[in-house]
Amino acid sequence: MGLEQQEREKEKGLRNVGCASSHTRHGAPNGLIKNVFDIHSECAETILSSLLTIKVLQAKNIGSGDMVTHADCYVRLWIPSATDRIFVTKTVSNTDVPFWGETFEFKIYNRIKNILHLSLIDEDVITKDDHLYTIYFDVGKLPFEETIVKSFALNQEGNEELELEFRRTKISESPENIITNGVLVSRELSCLEVNIDKQKSAKVFKDNEELVLTVTASCTKKKTSTLSSDSTPVDNFLFHTVKNWDPELTATLDESKFPAVTIGRDDVDNGGHDNMLTLPLNLLPLGEKVNVALHTEMDKKLEFEVKVNDCPEHLDMRLGFDLCQEEKDYLQKRKVFVARALKAALGLSRDLQEHEVPVIAVSATGGGARAMTSLYGTLSGLRKMNLLDTVSYITGASGSTWCMSKLYEDADWSKTDLARPIEDARKHMVESKTSAFSWDRLKYYYNEMEERSKEGHPGSFTDLWGLVIESMFYDRRYEGTLSDQQQAVNQGQNPLPLYLAMNVKDVEKSTLEFKEWCEFSPYEVGLIKYGAFIRSQHFDSEFFMGRVMKPLKESRICYLQGLWSNVFSVNLLDAWFAATNSENFWSEWTREPLSEIDDDEMMLKKRPASLSTRVLASSGMLSDTLRGVLTNRPLAGENHNFLNGFQIHEKYHKTKAFSAWKDTELDLFPDQLTPSSDKLCLVDSAYYINASFPPLLREERKVDIILSFDYGLGDKFKSVEETCNYCNKQGIEFPKVSLKDEDKESPKECYVFAKPEDTNAPIVLHFPLVNDTFKQYKAPGLERTPEEMEDGNVPLCGKGSPYRLLNMTYDEPAFNKLVNLNEYNVMNSQDAILEAFRLVMDRKASVRT
């Protein structure tokens, strides 16, 4: 029985996976959205707590940070996985052998990676305190019920030391349930509700006097209520906290004037002490409303109501490295189309069995309007060969995503020729882009970004670039979203689109030092390395510990287009400021490109292989200043971090899926990884490798063939070579890219890279953007007449080339030539494509037998 017949037999039994509209509200006070994902690789564990006692003893031979006087040292201690409180010793003045003898206690938890941040600081009265050293020590190494004295060498010479005493003892308390995928850990949460009747308070307090509420260990640290009779009559605040961090609520009318006073259980109903109220939340009965009162020096009393609830255990995201159920269902449906197309293309006399159907993908690079135009030609060529239905995935980065996101407005775009979408792209490419930068459009952009900010989106200059893209390539304000593209794949009728971006550190790390791949599909957005995925409609909503804290309206697709291609907005920033002085600048900018980035060279930096105790010494003011200049990304896409609050599992670095995607030395500093950040800093993948391979290299997708289309004008093999080097360093299966000198000098239309001895590595067919035989042939095997020779003249390079990166306007002949060239190049390589199909199918047949 062939695959198509099998599908017909079981069609009625297929489960219909719910989409966003099937989500229901949970009755919990935090308004969480119920998760309908299947959770893969996620498991429940219990964790136990222990008491870590640290005694800071002494330091030896400490030099002063200012090089003038002896050091005035103090020590700062923090375990981010245990508390948000930072402990500080007293300052011991004017000595290079300070002794403290102070003791501090931390409640820590097994199953979580607990790193002690131990900083030695030289206090300065006039200037900023000098950071001398920071030690990162994994306290999980410490044994139970033993007193351990450790001396940490602070410099390579070993003459500067810091000595501490450790003791770890077990605590008898109920274990805590956690959810983990072996990398991320989600803890139990509590939700504090605070209700303030402002009409009552208005009778006692002056208008516009403010009550400041602060909750330790909360994702929302502070809320302010303006006590005014003209404002909202009741203020309702929610604070979500890590339950076992012993959170406290502090309420004050002047947070800087009075010290905190902690009240006992008997004080709760009777008010508190003057000026400030500090309430340990674990003293409150669960699920019951309690009235508390804040007394002031002026003998006034402010009453308000509090209640603590447990948060639901389920998460609003998927933890796991497997594919989501929707994508699995899609692949099953897509196999029917692929099997039918392969049978016809290869002239097979029988239907294919399910195990014989390969997973074939198209991977496109960036390159602005050139990449967008070229991808239209590539897909048109595949469609004319009746091979588009053999493709299960299309991945894109930067400019190629503009083509993809336009195509997926049509739920059946791949079922007909692409004449209509190509005509639409032609119309917009030949139009002047000056109108996109008129003063009216600038005002529109400003108002749109203001409204977006009011909705709760962080906002960045990348949003402006997204609006500019919409103005350049759409006839109207387009309301479509990424999740809307589910309609184009829900029956398996088109390849599944995957869009790529990189998460980086905003200021303190360069792309070479820190990068994490972030993939976008109509179903999910996820950070591959962590095995953490949210529904695409939840991207940019506020999360904490895997729960939605504040759901936001899904962003229109233009904002994602701006994010995926924000390498171009570097030049837009200059244009923005110049526009305040000269409207003509916009016209000049749209005609003449400012720079070319296709030939940027990047090299991977080696990283240590194991986790150990580390010491960070001060780099000095000059080094810090230069580093800021070199690594600052003022235009990075800033979005709410859906990993916010997660903690790191104690064995995270041993998890295979995480280790396969190590890209940074910070992997050895778990408290500095993405879960510790409030925001994601998403950039165009062209900042590192101008390619879109990473989503296809996930082991779970089992991609057999990658049709790689490089639309760069510089090194024709740079994207595939850099990907090969990257995979070798990461331990990811990828064929060896071997090239001869003549390949570099005179590249052809198609190259096949395969690893015959390794059936797990995909076969890669690489298509550089070249004008080779197209000069003589208008179609495969059909020579040009003398009158048609000009149509084969495609000026890809040189100063007169219209295809430079920042050129967003082509004339009609230039557009047509680029589309036709890419269409021809893929069609002229049909034999190589079909031979790769046969090779993979033979592989699958041999493995099965």
Side-chain angles (χ1 to χ4, degrees), residues 716-733:
K716 305 298 183 181
F717 303 95
K718 181 179 178 182
S719 63
V720 70
E721 286 184 313
E722 288 186 338
T723 300
C724 179
N725 293 334
Y726 172 78
C727 289
N728 287 337
K729 292 176 183 294
Q730 302 291 332
I732 299 171
E733 297 288 352

Side-chain angles (χ1 to χ4, degrees), residues 235-262:
D235 271 344
N236 300 297
F237 298 121
L238 297 178
F239 295 89
H240 296 86
T241 68
V242 181
K243 186 176 181 180
N244 282 347
W245 272 13
D246 300 326
E248 295 179 338
L249 167 68
T250 299
T252 182
L253 294 174
D254 186 345
E255 59 181 338
S256 63
K257 185 176 180 181
F258 306 107
V261 179
T262 303

Side-chain angles (χ1 to χ4, degrees), residues 268-302:
V268 173
D269 296 324
N270 299 323
H273 297 268
D274 290 345
N275 309 323
M276 179 177 283
L277 171 70
T278 302
L279 174 63
L281 300 188
N282 58 8
L283 297 181
L284 298 176
L286 194 65
E288 296 182 19
K289 295 180 179 179
V290 176
N291 291 318
V292 297
L294 172 64
H295 295 263
T296 72
E297 286 182 327
M298 306 302 295
D299 201 26
K300 298 177 182 179
K301 183 171 71 172
L302 173 62

Side-chain angles (χ1 to χ4, degrees), residues 691-837:
S692 59
F693 286 106
L696 303 176
L697 300 178
R698 288 179 57 191
E699 185 177 327
E700 299 79 18
R701 289 204 165 104
K702 300 180 174 63
V703 175
D704 298 294
I705 297 175
I706 299 177
L707 305 179
S708 163
F709 296 93
D710 189 332
Y711 301 130
L713 297 183
D715 187 335
K716 305 298 183 181
F717 303 95
K718 181 179 178 182
S719 63
V720 70
E721 286 184 313
E722 288 186 338
T723 300
C724 179
N725 293 334
Y726 172 78
C727 289
N728 287 337
K729 292 176 183 294
Q730 302 291 332
I732 299 171
E733 297 288 352
F734 198 82
K736 182 178 179 181
V737 177
S738 179
L739 296 163
K740 299 177 181 178
D741 291 341
E742 53 264 34
D743 295 327
K744 292 277 192 176
E745 294 171 2
S746 302
K748 305 301 181 183
E749 288 106 348
C750 180
Y751 291 82
V752 180
F753 303 113
K755 208 172 182 179
E757 72 282 1
D758 187 357
T759 58
N760 293 320
I763 296 174
V764 175
L765 284 80
H766 186 67
F767 299 81
L769 181 55
V770 297
N771 186 12
D772 186 24
T773 59
F774 183 69
K775 296 174 183 177
Q776 288 80 37
Y777 293 86
K778 62 181 179 181
L782 186 60
E783 288 193 64
R784 298 184 185 277
T785 64
E787 294 78 18
E788 295 169 331
M789 294 303 290
E790 175 57 28
D791 293 335
N793 179 22
V794 187
L796 294 176
C797 301
K799 290 185 178 181
S801 173
Y803 306 117
R804 289 171 293 178
L805 183 66
L806 296 179
N807 189 15
M808 299 294 173
T809 302
Y810 300 163
D811 60 28
E812 189 166 340
F815 178 90
N816 293 338
K817 285 181 179 181
L818 190 57
V819 170
N820 294 336
L821 171 64
N822 283 278
E823 182 179 276
Y824 170 87
N825 281 356
V826 68
M827 293 181 70
N828 196 48
S829 306
Q830 182 173 9
D831 290 345
I833 296 172
L834 294 181
E835 182 60 31
F837 288 177

Side-chain angles (χ1 to χ4, degrees), residues 109 154 173 194 293 347 361 370 405 521 581 587 615 696 708 766 817:
Y109 304 86
L154 301 177
E173 66 176 22
V194 181
R370 180 182 66 244
S405 51
S521 84
N581 298 315
S587 177
V615 178
L696 303 176
S708 163
H766 186 67
K817 285 181 179 181

Side-chain angles (χ1 to χ4, degrees), residues 193-393:
E193 292 183 74
V194 181
N195 298 307
I196 303 168
D197 188 337
K198 292 165 49 170
Q199 290 182 329
K200 282 185 179 180
S201 65
K203 299 176 182 178
V204 180
F205 295 93
K206 295 181 295 184
D207 275 358
N208 300 320
E209 195 159 5
E210 292 185 341
L211 173 69
V212 179
L213 302 173
T214 306
V215 176
T216 59
S218 171
C219 62
T220 305
K221 301 292 184 186
K222 184 184 297 184
K223 295 284 188 180
T224 301
S225 175
T226 302
L227 305 176
S228 172
S229 58
D230 296 330
S231 58
T232 308
V234 177
D235 271 344
N236 300 297
F237 298 121
L238 297 178
F239 295 89
H240 296 86
T241 68
V242 181
K243 186 176 181 180
N244 282 347
W245 272 13
D246 300 326
E248 295 179 338
L249 167 68
T250 299
T252 182
L253 294 174
D254 186 345
E255 59 181 338
S256 63
K257 185 176 180 181
F258 306 107
V261 179
T262 303
I263 67 172
R265 180 69 184 90
D266 295 337
D267 296 317
V268 173
D269 296 324
N270 299 323
H273 297 268
D274 290 345
N275 309 323
M276 179 177 283
L277 171 70
T278 302
L279 174 63
L281 300 188
N282 58 8
L283 297 181
L284 298 176
L286 194 65
E288 296 182 19
K289 295 180 179 179
V290 176
N291 291 318
V292 297
L294 172 64
H295 295 263
T296 72
E297 286 182 327
M298 306 302 295
D299 201 26
K300 298 177 182 179
K301 183 171 71 172
L302 173 62
E303 295 181 344
F304 54 93
E305 184 182 84
V306 298
K307 183 173 73 170
V308 173
N309 296 290
D310 280 341
C311 289
E313 292 184 1
H314 74 261
L315 305 184
D316 298 300
M317 66 189 311
R318 186 173 65 85
L319 287 186
F321 296 90
D322 202 356
L323 305 179
C324 69
Q325 189 60 46
E326 292 93 332
E327 185 172 339
K328 289 181 177 180
D329 291 346
Y330 160 81
L331 289 171
Q332 195 65 31
K333 296 173 184 177
R334 185 63 180 170
K335 280 186 177 182
V336 177
F337 294 89
V338 174
R340 186 189 304 141
L342 283 173
K343 179 182 177 182
L346 299 176
L348 302 178
S349 59
R350 62 177 180 84
D351 290 342
L352 292 176
Q353 300 298 309
E354 183 173 344
H355 70 274
E356 296 177 296
V357 181
V359 178
I360 301 167
V362 165
S363 174
T365 68
R370 180 182 66 244
M372 178 191 74
T373 305
S374 295
L375 185 54
Y376 277 116
T378 294
L379 296 177
S380 177
L382 290 172
R383 179 70 183 83
K384 289 182 177 181
M385 292 188 294
N386 295 315
L387 295 183
L388 193 51
D389 269 351
T390 68
V391 176
S392 294
Y393 292 104

